[in-house]
Amino acid sequence: MPTEKNHIWYPYTQMKNMKEPYHIIDAEGVYLYTEDSKLIDSASSWWCMIHGYKNPEITEAIKRQADKFCHVMLCNLTHDGALNFSRELADFLPGDLNHVFFSDSGSVSVEVALKMALQYYVNDAVRRETHNERTKVLSLTHSYHGDTFKTMEIGDDEDYHFAFPEKKGVTHINTEIDELENAFRREGEQFYCMIVEPLLQGAGGMRMYDVSFLKRARELCDQYGVLLIFDEVATGFGRTGNRFAADLVLPDIICLGKALTGGYVGHAATVASEKVYQGFYDDDERLALMHGPTFMGNALAMAAGLKSLEIFRRENYMDKIHHIEAVARREIAGYEAEGLREVRAMGGCICFEADNGESLSGFQDFAAKRGVFARNFLNVQYAMVPYIIKDEELIQIIDTMKAWWER
């Protein structure tokens, strides 16, 4: 067993029988390099490397900031990077999503959102000198919001969280409007928030659903006085073919991560509406949001995020994403194979759903031999490509997925 396998505890892996990971020595554009191979990264390193690797502008921005300082705490101190990035991010987001709380990972950004939502109603009860009666969360079946404890509780994926089965105070529904309406009729006065991965449920199987569900959710949240949270850690910055699903339906809180910094430095943000922010803004110190990750507003992350956002806007990335979707839809149109349940595409996501996960055993090595790094999971082959990908590289990924079913 190699030394690195002895000391690194790898994620989502049974270490006893883990196959040897691909050892990356360099990366540039959409390519990962090992000692003897060159692989198109079809997963964008867990969906975050939207500009590809070694983008010279982002790399230089990080280097310039590192020459000044790499990090200062964001409590009693501030700095231009955090001030500028929060301003630009608020300007880029729709509606009045203007109040940015930084953190260090997508899971934590969701934890912060849930904490904000619950305390919003606790604070309201304090002001009215009564007790908060809202103690439940409405979530979706097959949802994934992270691996920290509260995110596991609101999620619905036993493959990731089977050792933590207890789900207190959470109701899960399918993305069906009748189920949504029934849940609000039964428990609407008890929910403090509804949380969704909008339009695209990622780790639950790349499940895609219609915006009409979100529109009805917004209406019902307004009717029953429930905060609506969009977990756009995976879907934000164009992945669904929209800048954000929040451009279509405006939530009260949005969670961002992954592509927030272009994937160059791990970071996340929970961005609240004016209504939510005002729920904490008070002379009473008890009503403050008592949360503060050590690395929130990290200077290197702010430099990367600011430059990433500049490139996204300047280079018309939404046009690139729409082109990726058009090419993908053309290449998968009408494709069928025995054991393949469905093929689908949305924005920068392509999914081949198999009848069962066992039929995909060995696909990763099969793809690597054809110059593609792929990471199938559950019963899906998927691609979440960097937005700088060329047509021929995108087609190579899709052809590799097809070749698996034609072998």
Side-chain angles (χ1 to χ4, degrees):
M1 184 180 291
T3 301
E4 64 266 24
K5 189 185 289 186
N6 284 331
H7 296 291
I8 299 175
W9 196 334
Y10 287 92
Y12 303 128
T13 300
Q14 174 48 259
M15 294 299 296
K16 186 174 182 179
N17 55 25
M18 184 186 82
K19 78 179 187 68
E20 190 69 22
Y22 302 100
H23 193 124
I24 304 305
I25 61 172
D26 199 2
E28 186 168 5
V30 301
Y31 290 99
L32 301 168
Y33 294 89
T34 69
E35 286 286 358
D36 56 6
S37 65
K38 173 183 175 182
L39 306 170
I40 301 172
D41 183 3
S42 70
S44 298
S45 276
W46 266 333
W47 325 341
C48 67
M49 299 298 297
I50 60 174
H51 308 288
Y53 298 94
K54 212 179 289 183
N55 178 283
E57 292 185 72
I58 300 176
T59 302
E60 181 57 32
I62 294 170
K63 288 179 178 178
R64 282 199 306 270
Q65 180 58 51
D67 284 339
K68 298 176 182 177
F69 56 88
C70 292
H71 180 66
V72 295
M73 63 190 288
L74 205 63
C75 188
N76 304 121
L77 303 174
T78 193
H79 58 93
D80 286 344
L83 292 168
N84 293 337
F85 188 36
S86 59
R87 183 189 65 246
E88 291 299 315
L89 189 58
D91 178 68
F92 191 58
L93 287 166
D96 66 342
L97 293 168
N98 294 328
H99 301 282
V100 183
F101 190 97
F102 290 114
S103 60
D104 43 13
S105 75
S107 295
V108 176
S109 77
V110 176
E111 293 277 355
V112 171
L114 295 167
K115 190 172 179 177
M116 279 182 182
L118 179 56
Q119 190 177 341
Y120 174 85
Y121 291 103
V122 171
N123 286 359
D124 180 64
V126 169
R127 286 171 170 147
R128 293 186 291 108
E129 298 183 341
T130 185
H131 296 287
N132 174 48
E133 302 294 336
R134 294 182 181 271
T135 59
K136 293 184 176 181
V137 175
L138 181 59
S139 184
L140 301 181
T141 56
H142 309 292
S143 59
Y144 175 87
H145 296 286
D147 297 325
T148 50
F149 263 72
K150 192 63 180 180
T151 60
M152 288 193 296
E153 186 173 63
I154 63 168
D156 179 49
D157 196 324
E158 63 182 22
D159 291 287
Y160 291 91
H161 305 148
F162 89 98
F164 308 92
E166 195 169 6
K167 306 282 186 180
K168 288 185 177 180
V170 58
T171 297
H172 291 102
I173 60 170
N174 293 310
T175 53
E176 302 291 339
I177 290 178
D178 60 340
E179 289 193 35
L180 175 68
E181 292 173 339
N182 288 336
F184 271 95
R185 275 194 291 268
R186 291 192 313 268
E187 304 173 271
E189 302 295 338
Q190 301 173 60
F191 295 138
Y192 63 87
C193 73
M194 177 179 181
I195 183 167
V196 299
E197 300 158 272
L199 301 179
L200 173 64
Q201 294 181 279
M206 299 300 171
R207 297 168 183 266
M208 302 171 186
Y209 63 95
D210 191 71
V211 70
S212 59
F213 180 85
L214 299 178
K215 290 178 178 178
R216 186 61 178 139
R218 178 72 274 176
E219 292 171 353
L220 289 166
C221 284
D222 290 342
Q223 179 181 337
Y224 286 86
V226 176
L227 295 181
L228 180 59
I229 301 171
F230 278 8
D231 176 355
E232 296 223 46
V233 170
T235 61
F237 298 95
R239 191 56 70 181
T240 67
N242 308 282
R243 295 183 324 149
F244 306 95
D247 287 332
L248 307 178
V249 176
L250 189 66
D252 299 292
I253 302 172
I254 188 171
C255 303
L256 304 172
K258 294 191 183 293
L260 179 68
T261 66
Y264 279 64
V265 182
H267 219 66
T270 308
V271 188
S273 67
E274 187 65 29
K275 179 179 82 170
V276 173
Y277 181 74
Q278 288 300 324
F280 295 79
Y281 196 76
D282 200 279
D283 291 328
D284 190 338
E285 295 290 336
R286 295 176 301 166
L287 306 191
L289 179 63
M290 299 303 290
H291 202 93
T294 299
F295 292 102
M296 69 181 297
N298 172 264
L300 301 181
M302 298 297 97
L306 196 59
K307 184 57 68 174
S308 173
L309 185 55
E310 177 190 324
I311 295 169
F312 191 100
R313 298 169 106 164
R314 185 188 71 221
E315 301 297 328
N316 299 314
Y317 266 46
M318 291 312 303
D319 289 344
K320 296 179 188 291
I321 294 162
H322 293 152
H323 179 73
I324 288 169
E325 180 174 5
V327 172
R329 286 185 179 276
R330 182 193 72 204
E331 294 297 314
I332 67 175
Y335 188 75
E336 296 179 344
E338 184 178 352
L340 186 60
R341 183 177 302 167
E342 184 183 48
V343 294
R344 52 187 179 266
M346 173 186 283
C349 175
I350 305 154
C351 176
F352 282 42
E353 181 180 354
D355 288 336
N356 60 74
E358 289 77 14
S359 65
L360 299 179
S361 178
F363 174 67
Q364 187 174 72
D365 287 340
F366 176 89
K369 291 174 182 176
R370 286 155 181 78
V372 174
F373 171 71
R375 190 179 185 279
N376 54 289
F377 69 100
L378 301 177
N379 64 329
V380 297
Q381 299 164 304
Y382 78 91
M384 289 274 215
V385 298
Y387 300 151
I388 62 165
I389 197 165
K390 297 175 183 176
D391 287 5
E392 58 268 27
E393 294 162 340
L394 178 60
I395 292 169
Q396 183 177 341
I397 292 170
I398 295 171
D399 284 348
T400 297
M401 295 163 81
K402 289 179 179 178
W404 175 257
W405 297 101
E406 297 164 1
R407 70 195 192 286

